[in-house]
Amino acid sequence: MLVLVTYDVATSSIGGSKRLRHVAKKCVDYGQRVQNSVFECVVDPQQFEILRHSLLKIVDLEKDSIRFYFLGSNWQNKVEHYGTKEIVNVEEPIIL
């Protein structure tokens, strides 16, 4: 299933920049960055639970916010993209 992870970390607070880096690093482990604080993650339910648990341990819910949007397995028909960023199919292998 495709899960869109979005977050807003208060970098002006103590430890905010560190939390922001940790959230981004954790999201990179599960998906690809499509905008500054937005990741597309193709995960199974168990992987999602691990990701959610990890992210909720990092953020400060008094100062930060995080959202999960569940686009399901048939997400290709639910996402439209326009603009300059290259579209990458998150389910295909990446060859370097």
Side-chain angles (χ1 to χ4, degrees):
M1 72 177 161
L2 179 69
V3 178
L4 197 67
V5 180
T6 68
Y7 54 88
D8 187 17
V9 176
T11 56
S12 60
S13 68
I14 296 173
S17 295
K18 182 178 179 180
R19 289 193 313 275
L20 179 64
R21 284 191 309 276
H22 286 193
V23 167
K25 285 181 181 180
K26 184 54 67 175
C27 287
V28 165
D29 290 343
Y30 288 87
Q32 75 171 21
R33 183 187 301 261
V34 293
Q35 292 186 355
N36 286 338
S37 297
V38 181
F39 281 80
E40 291 179 349
C41 303
V42 177
V43 292
D44 62 35
Q46 182 179 3
Q47 290 171 320
F48 172 70
E49 287 302 321
I50 295 168
L51 173 61
R52 178 172 53 186
H53 179 73
S54 299
L55 292 174
L56 291 175
K57 284 175 51 178
I58 296 169
V59 297
D60 180 344
L61 295 178
E62 301 277 326
K63 301 173 184 147
D64 309 327
S65 68
I66 189 162
R67 290 177 178 238
F68 303 101
Y69 296 90
F70 303 95
L71 299 178
S73 297
N74 192 19
W75 60 270
Q76 293 88 347
N77 297 328
K78 299 175 185 173
V79 177
E80 291 185 19
H81 174 264
Y82 305 95
T84 60
K85 290 200 174 195
E86 182 179 335
I87 299 172
V88 176
N89 185 339
V90 295
E91 293 186 306
E92 289 182 0
I94 296 175
I95 300 173
L96 300 174

